[in-house]
Amino acid sequence: MTATAAVAAAHGYCLNAVRTGDWEGFVATLFIPARARSTVLAIRALNIEAAGVTTSSASSPVAASMRFKFWTDLIEGVYAGTPVNHPIAVALADALSQPSAPPLSKQFMLRLISARQENHLRAAASNTAAPISTRSSLLPTQSRFETVTALETHAERANASMLYLQLEACGVRDFAVDRVASDIGKSLGIISALRAIPADFAASMPLSVPAEILQRHANGTLPSTSFAEGKQQMHMLTAADPRRRAMSDAVFDLATVANNRMATALAEIRELVANTETGAQTRAGGAAGSLFSPHGAANAGLMPAIAGRLFLRRLEAVDFDVFDRRLSRRDWRLLYELWRTNRRGSLVD
């Protein structure tokens, strides 16, 4: 295989990995400028692989540690000019070698991997902790995160790092834009925690809903079957069951945090654009507003926000019952919302 063919195969591997493992991320890349698309797909493929270590190596801490080390060394090799023979390494090396390509920060890639590893270790530690009785509790109170702040810190390291890299791939490096990306990343990280609840229950894994929220809604009168005995069939419980209602209340609290973060980001975008239109200086010196103006480069880099906003609306429509099976289906309205946003040229109305 020639070098050109190897690079093309590597990019094809990343595209297929994202299309099958991150459908919402994949369709968002369709609205990213063509010059940045292959780079963004390689970044998102790296994230899929790093996040997948937890599920594929859950029973073997040593294997998980070795795989995270592999991905860290892979990034180090890419930036040292000695990429290993792996499609993601080849695709990233090709992206970095393009003469006109904007630079990508190695620190964000390494931070993304370390965030996934830390989350894996938190899950393992929570799983081996002394069991908490659920006989007098509507909800399990073990969690990977003690507080909302801890969850947001993880989201900043994992989800926001992804957005910083996407923005860089689109040629955007701006402090004020990064502030917006940070809020969107935290919102998307919280949404990921909410979406993972059914799978975590089915696998008897600790939840990512912070313990402080679970404990807030854990008290109540249990039906004859304990939560521990019925948790894997949560979707089969009636909507009136106190366990399912308690979880919906906890989900509402956490979804509110995610919505507030997203609303803050959109308000910041409007402020930046308004300051640019009126000639006022922004906190970053006035440049950021133009990046969010119609068809500005920052809008494309932050397209994943559309899927997050749509999921929050869908969650509200089912009264925050995260076990409602309709939430697990692909929402083809996302394609329309992405198209509409792209046509409008802005993340805000």
Side-chain angles (χ1 to χ4, degrees), residues 198-233:
D200 286 341
F201 265 109
S204 296
M205 294 289 290
L207 302 182
S208 292
V209 178
E212 66 177 356
I213 290 181
L214 292 173
Q215 291 164 3
R216 190 183 305 158
H217 300 283
N219 297 326
T221 302
L222 277 171
S224 57
T225 303
S226 73
F227 189 86
E229 294 166 341
K231 67 179 182 179
Q232 293 188 18
Q233 293 79 36

Side-chain angles (χ1 to χ4, degrees), residues 23 34 43 56 58 71 85 109 150 188 212-213 216 234 296 326:
W23 180 77
I43 294 166
S56 61
W71 291 112
N85 187 24
M109 294 198 192
L188 294 178
E212 66 177 356
I213 290 181
R216 190 183 305 158
M234 175 67 81
R326 286 172 290 181

Side-chain angles (χ1 to χ4, degrees), residues 139 148 151-152 190 194 209-218 245-261 312 315 319-320:
L139 298 176
V148 171
L151 173 56
E152 287 194 320
I190 293 171
L194 293 171
V209 178
E212 66 177 356
I213 290 181
L214 292 173
Q215 291 164 3
R216 190 183 305 158
H217 300 283
R245 188 64 258 169
M247 179 55 74
S248 294
D249 291 342
V251 166
F252 169 79
D253 284 1
L254 193 54
T256 298
V257 178
N259 187 67
N260 288 343
R261 281 291 182 185
L312 289 174
L315 185 61
D319 199 20
F320 300 95

Side-chain angles (χ1 to χ4, degrees), residues 6-345:
V7 170
H11 285 300
Y13 173 92
C14 294
L15 184 151
N16 288 326
V18 178
R19 181 167 53 195
T20 57
D22 178 15
W23 180 77
E24 291 181 352
F26 171 72
V27 294
T29 64
L30 300 178
F31 298 91
I32 285 178
R35 67 181 184 280
R37 190 172 301 136
S38 60
T39 303
V40 171
L41 286 169
I43 294 166
R44 299 198 76 88
L46 172 66
N47 178 62
I48 291 170
E49 293 283 1
V53 172
T54 299
T55 54
S56 61
S57 305
S59 60
S60 175
V62 175
S65 177
M66 292 175 63
R67 290 192 64 191
F68 281 119
K69 180 69 163 56
F70 169 80
W71 291 112
T72 300
D73 290 345
L74 181 146
I75 296 303
E76 293 287 0
V78 167
Y79 280 87
T82 56
V84 299
N85 187 24
H86 187 282
I88 292 178
V90 173
L92 288 173
D94 177 64
L96 291 171
S97 67
Q98 298 301 317
S100 59
L104 300 175
S105 299
K106 180 174 74 171
Q107 64 170 337
F108 291 140
M109 294 198 192
L110 295 177
R111 194 167 74 158
L112 186 157
I113 295 169
S114 67
R116 298 302 183 187
Q117 184 171 18
E118 290 163 6
N119 195 39
H120 173 76
L121 294 174
R122 274 191 296 266
S126 299
N127 240 1
T128 57
I132 298 176
S133 173
T134 57
R135 289 286 176 180
S136 59
S137 176
L138 291 176
L139 298 176
T141 52
Q142 282 184 343
S143 171
R144 304 182 194 203
F145 304 96
E146 288 297 316
T147 64
V148 171
T149 299
L151 173 56
E152 287 194 320
T153 298
H154 166 71
E156 160 67 27
R157 290 173 56 78
N159 301 79
S161 291
M162 280 275 299
L163 296 180
Y164 299 148
L165 288 165
Q166 289 196 182
L167 287 166
E168 288 183 347
C170 293
V172 178
R173 282 195 173 196
D174 185 279
F175 173 71
V177 174
D178 284 350
R179 287 189 55 160
V180 175
S182 176
D183 282 321
I184 292 176
K186 289 174 182 177
S187 179
L188 294 178
I190 293 171
I191 290 170
S192 294
L194 293 171
R195 301 180 85 159
I197 290 174
D200 286 341
F201 265 109
S204 296
M205 294 289 290
L207 302 182
S208 292
V209 178
E212 66 177 356
I213 290 181
L214 292 173
Q215 291 164 3
R216 190 183 305 158
H217 300 283
N219 297 326
T221 302
L222 277 171
S224 57
T225 303
S226 73
F227 189 86
E229 294 166 341
K231 67 179 182 179
Q232 293 188 18
Q233 293 79 36
M234 175 67 81
H235 68 277
M236 298 174 64
L237 301 177
T238 66
D241 189 287
R243 292 164 291 183
R244 191 156 174 173
R245 188 64 258 169
M247 179 55 74
S248 294
D249 291 342
V251 166
F252 169 79
D253 284 1
L254 193 54
T256 298
V257 178
N259 187 67
N260 288 343
R261 281 291 182 185
M262 190 69 72
T264 297
L266 298 178
E268 289 173 338
I269 292 174
R270 293 187 181 95
E271 178 186 354
L272 291 168
V273 172
N275 286 341
T276 299
E277 291 174 349
T278 60
Q281 290 291 300
T282 67
R283 289 186 293 269
S290 61
L291 295 171
F292 282 115
S293 62
H295 302 289
N299 293 301
L302 297 178
M303 275 291 194
I306 304 303
R309 293 167 64 185
L310 184 59
F311 177 79
L312 289 174
R313 292 201 296 267
R314 293 172 63 202
L315 185 61
E316 183 180 17
V318 297
D319 199 20
F320 300 95
D321 182 3
V322 77
F323 292 93
D324 192 301
R325 292 187 181 277
R326 286 172 290 181
L327 294 176
S328 64
R329 302 170 188 158
R330 287 182 179 177
D331 189 349
W332 296 101
R333 287 176 299 176
L334 175 59
L335 293 170
Y336 170 73
E337 292 294 338
L338 288 166
W339 172 83
R340 193 168 73 95
T341 300
N342 183 67
R343 181 181 176 85
R344 187 174 62 234

